[in-house]
Amino acid sequence: MSAFVAAILVGERQLHSLWKAVLDQNEQYTKRSHDAYLAVAKAAYQTLERMQDRYAVNRTDLLRVRVIYQADAFSSLIAALKAIPLHELDSAEAAVALAGLQNNMCNAQLTIEQLMALKARLEQDDLPKDAIKSIDLRSYKAHAEMHYRTLVRIFNHP
């Protein structure tokens, strides 16, 4: 009888150790995933942050935009943000922050592309009268910062 009780206790301890190992492994996977997601969010936020607050429709500002803005980089960051599986974020607040950051990046890109579309017309001094006069990226940048800081807080990073 004592051998039977000892076998049960040993088996229970082994099961407990195995269960603890699985939980630790899952926790490490979640941390690595969150670190990767946060790295993508940080790259997106920093890319948008490098842009000036405002750009006018003139040759100087178009050159300033071209130095910083890379359409492929913006598109790649947006695609990377969209590839993050929302079900792995562990909270609705994190999902909203990520979606907000995606939205800010998309809207900023569309706004910048409107300015870039006027480049050829500007060079020919053929701007339409109803063309935009300038773009303002401040709201996109402010909201992107808010969403990024929310993700940092949720993922418990300094």
Side-chain angles (χ1 to χ4, degrees), residues 9-24:
L9 290 176
V10 169
E12 202 172 286
R13 285 184 187 151
Q14 289 175 341
L15 182 62
H16 178 69
S17 294
L18 183 60
W19 184 249
K20 185 174 179 341
V22 167
L23 290 176
D24 289 344

Side-chain angles (χ1 to χ4, degrees), residues 67-139:
V67 167
I68 298 171
Y69 174 72
Q70 301 295 321
D72 291 345
F74 256 68
S75 296
S76 296
L77 286 168
I78 292 167
L81 288 169
K82 288 181 178 180
I84 295 173
L86 295 180
H87 66 276
E88 290 189 12
L89 295 180
D90 299 335
S91 78
E93 187 179 11
V96 168
L98 180 68
L101 185 56
Q102 291 172 9
N103 191 41
N104 289 124
M105 289 292 291
C106 288
N107 290 338
Q109 185 173 35
L110 289 172
T111 302
I112 295 165
E113 289 295 331
Q114 286 178 339
L115 179 69
M116 298 304 285
L118 295 174
K119 178 182 176 285
R121 307 265 325 249
L122 181 66
E123 289 173 354
Q124 298 170 358
D125 289 324
D126 184 31
L127 279 178
K129 291 181 181 176
D130 62 343
I132 59 172
K133 305 294 183 221
S134 66
I135 61 170
D136 189 343
L137 301 176
R138 289 178 296 177
S139 65

Side-chain angles (χ1 to χ4, degrees), residues 14-91:
Q14 289 175 341
L15 182 62
H16 178 69
S17 294
L18 183 60
W19 184 249
K20 185 174 179 341
V22 167
L23 290 176
D24 289 344
Q25 186 178 17
N26 187 44
E27 187 176 313
Q28 290 173 2
Y29 170 79
T30 299
K31 174 142 179 38
R32 282 193 308 269
S33 296
H34 287 179
D35 288 347
Y37 304 154
L38 193 59
V40 172
K42 182 177 184 178
Y45 162 67
Q46 288 177 336
T47 298
L48 189 54
E49 192 61 28
R50 281 193 294 272
M51 301 297 295
Q52 298 293 320
D53 288 345
R54 294 186 184 120
Y55 293 100
V57 179
N58 60 45
R59 287 179 177 85
T60 303
D61 278 1
L62 279 170
L63 286 174
R64 287 175 44 216
V65 170
R66 288 180 59 192
V67 167
I68 298 171
Y69 174 72
Q70 301 295 321
D72 291 345
F74 256 68
S75 296
S76 296
L77 286 168
I78 292 167
L81 288 169
K82 288 181 178 180
I84 295 173
L86 295 180
H87 66 276
E88 290 189 12
L89 295 180
D90 299 335
S91 78

